């Protein structure tokens, strides 16, 4: 399950507390990559008293380079995250969001920005458009740091396996059938959780949380499907209809027959 985060230019320019909190969190996550351009080092060294600490933390996070967008390409946003920016800052914002729009991997993307008010952390959707394509990403607006940590503490898939059983499909009464989920062990859910995280990472969905999501269960040699039941909770089961598996998932795991 891989994530990409873009930090708004105002934070790189002046908000050292937000940068330190975010980068300190990111350095412990091998699944979280920060969009970064080399010239940002110059901005940091010119504007931050804690530039040495920020650069040290940057050396320990996973980074993805971005570059200037093509000439003539204009990016629009909803809501408007470029409000109050000067021309150079607006240009930088369009460059980084253009990269988010164009890069398919990692599949799950976050744009993080800091404002003076209101207090606390707000999460919503951000729509990025270049005139020919658009993408929805998660938008975090914070005024007190800890935003990435807060986001990940509340927004990650959790397994809630109450309805499906690990044994063979069987009648459970009242005409109801319990679907199998052979990967699930009620005494040790670790492998089922591993499959859920893999399916989430494979989804590539611009909508968080995505549903349904699929992956290949190599232990039991079958595809599994996870359905979102609310509050980032998922339940999984073995797929009986092989034709339901998305083509890109079959291609990724190179299993074309059940």
């Amino acid at each position: 399950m891989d994530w990409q985060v873009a930090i708004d230019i105002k934070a790189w320019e002046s908000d050292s507390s937000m940068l330190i909190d975010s980068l300190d969190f990111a350095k412990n996550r091998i699944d979280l990559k920060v969009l970064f351009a080399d010239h940002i080092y110059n901005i940091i060294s010119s504007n931050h008293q804690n530039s040495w600490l920020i650069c040290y933390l940057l050396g320990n996070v996973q980074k993805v380079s971005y570059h200037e967008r093509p000439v003539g390409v204009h990016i629009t946003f909803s809501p408007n995250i470029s409000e109050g920016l000067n021309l150079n800052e607006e240009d930088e914002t369009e460059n980084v969001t253009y990269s988010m729009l164009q890069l398919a991997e990692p599949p799950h993307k976050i744009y993080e920005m800091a404002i003076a008010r209101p207090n606390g952390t707000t999460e919503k959707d951000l729509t990025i458009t270049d005139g020919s394509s658009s993408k929805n990403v998660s938008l975090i607006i914070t005024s007190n740091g800890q935003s990435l940590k807060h986001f990940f503490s509340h927004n990650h898939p959790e397994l809630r396996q109450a309805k499906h059983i690990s044994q063979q499909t069987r009648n459970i009464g009242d005409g109801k059938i319990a679907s199998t989920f052979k990967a699930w062990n009620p005494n040790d859910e670790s492998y089922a959780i591993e499959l859920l995280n893999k399916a989430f990472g494979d989804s590539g969905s611009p909508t968080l949380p995505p549903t349904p999501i699929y992956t290949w269960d190599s232990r039991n040699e079958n595809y599994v499907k996870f359905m979102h039941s609310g509050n980032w909770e998922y339940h999984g089961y073995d797929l009986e209809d092989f034709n339901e598996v998305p083509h890109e998932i079959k291609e990724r795991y190179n299993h074309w027959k059940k």
Side-chain angles (χ1 to χ4, degrees):
M1 167 171 64
D2 290 328
W3 300 81
Q4 178 188 92
V5 60
I7 301 173
D8 81 302
I9 186 62
K10 281 295 192 181
W12 290 118
E13 287 177 339
S14 60
D15 197 328
S16 61
S17 62
M18 172 184 164
L19 281 176
I20 290 169
D21 286 339
S22 296
L23 296 175
D24 188 56
F25 176 78
K27 71 180 173 60
N28 296 313
R29 303 277 305 221
I30 62 172
D31 59 341
L32 179 60
K33 298 175 175 61
V34 177
L35 268 169
F36 186 80
D38 286 341
H39 64 267
I40 297 295
Y41 280 116
N42 295 330
I43 295 174
I44 294 170
S45 61
S46 301
N47 292 277
H48 290 290
Q49 284 186 328
N50 293 318
S51 59
W52 64 271
L53 176 57
I54 294 169
C55 290
Y56 169 77
L57 291 171
L58 269 171
N60 290 279
V61 303
Q62 304 288 322
K63 294 186 288 294
V64 178
S65 296
Y66 71 90
H67 308 281
E68 290 187 4
R69 66 194 185 285
V71 175
V73 173
H74 178 60
I75 309 297
T76 58
F77 322 98
S78 179
N80 183 14
I81 58 174
S82 63
E83 186 175 351
L85 302 182
N86 62 39
L87 290 178
N88 289 334
E89 292 167 342
E90 187 173 347
D91 190 59
E92 193 68 33
T93 300
E94 291 194 41
N95 286 338
V96 70
T97 50
Y98 177 78
S99 294
M100 298 183 83
L101 187 61
Q102 295 299 311
L103 295 173
E105 298 291 341
H108 305 296
K109 301 178 187 296
I110 303 166
Y111 189 89
E112 182 182 16
M113 62 186 298
I115 58 175
R117 291 183 176 83
N119 241 355
T121 298
T122 302
E123 298 168 14
K124 56 178 67 178
D125 288 333
L126 170 67
T127 301
I128 304 169
T129 305
D130 69 355
S132 60
S133 58
S134 64
K135 182 174 290 185
N136 292 331
V137 305
S138 293
L139 172 64
I140 305 175
I141 304 172
T142 182
S143 61
N144 60 355
Q146 298 295 315
S147 50
L148 271 186
K149 184 177 181 179
H150 179 272
F151 178 88
F152 279 97
S153 68
H154 292 87
N155 298 276
H156 58 88
E158 295 186 35
L159 187 68
R160 289 290 181 268
Q161 200 65 32
K163 298 180 180 179
H164 301 283
I165 58 176
S166 56
Q167 296 80 23
Q168 295 181 5
T169 301
R170 66 186 182 194
N171 193 317
I172 58 174
D174 298 326
K176 297 179 180 179
I177 299 294
S179 301
T180 66
F181 187 24
K182 292 185 285 292
W184 179 63
N185 179 344
N187 298 314
D188 181 4
E189 294 186 318
S190 57
Y191 181 59
I193 292 171
E194 178 185 327
L195 290 180
L196 171 58
N197 287 333
K198 186 166 70 168
F200 185 82
D202 287 344
S203 69
S205 172
T207 305
L208 299 177
T211 189
I213 54 179
Y214 307 83
T215 196
W216 173 252
D217 175 2
S218 59
R219 283 189 189 174
N220 299 290
E221 296 191 335
N222 56 255
Y223 282 100
V224 296
K225 175 180 179 179
F226 292 93
M227 294 296 297
H228 179 237
S229 53
N231 296 321
W232 287 82
E233 296 178 359
Y234 285 83
H235 64 271
Y237 52 93
D238 301 326
L239 268 183
E240 298 179 3
D241 183 3
F242 179 76
N243 294 321
E244 185 181 338
V245 182
H247 176 84
E248 59 269 22
I249 299 297
K250 294 178 185 177
E251 187 174 44
R252 179 164 296 176
Y253 294 102
N254 197 28
H255 291 283
W256 301 91
K257 295 181 179 179
K258 194 166 184 179

